Amino acid sequence: MARKKKVNDYGTGIPYHEVEALARVLLPEIQAFFESEEGQREYAEWKRQQAVSKGEQE
């Protein structure tokens, strides 16, 4: 008899099918945001902040 492989939920206790359903709802919204003008601006600002903080750490 084959053993059923346990799916790693990373300690959340959330069933895989629920995480997948949430991802199906959120992913299109996230993609639309980053394709928008506002999303592109915010991403550019985030990248700038990351470069500044990386420069401070070195």
Side-chain angles (χ1 to χ4, degrees):
M1 195 159 107
R3 285 186 163 164
K4 188 174 180 181
K5 185 178 178 183
K6 185 177 178 185
V7 177
N8 187 353
D9 66 0
Y10 301 100
T12 64
I14 302 171
Y16 180 77
H17 69 277
E18 289 186 16
V19 172
E20 191 173 79
L22 183 61
R24 288 182 191 273
V25 170
L26 291 178
L27 183 61
E29 297 298 320
I30 293 168
Q31 288 173 324
F33 174 75
F34 281 102
E35 289 172 357
S36 73
E37 210 173 286
E38 178 188 2
Q40 303 246 334
R41 250 191 333 271
E42 287 193 28
Y43 179 64
E45 175 62 21
W46 176 84
K47 279 178 49 176
R48 187 190 66 73
Q49 289 175 349
Q50 294 300 307
V52 168
S53 69
K54 186 176 180 183
E56 292 173 356
Q57 291 176 351
E58 293 181 337

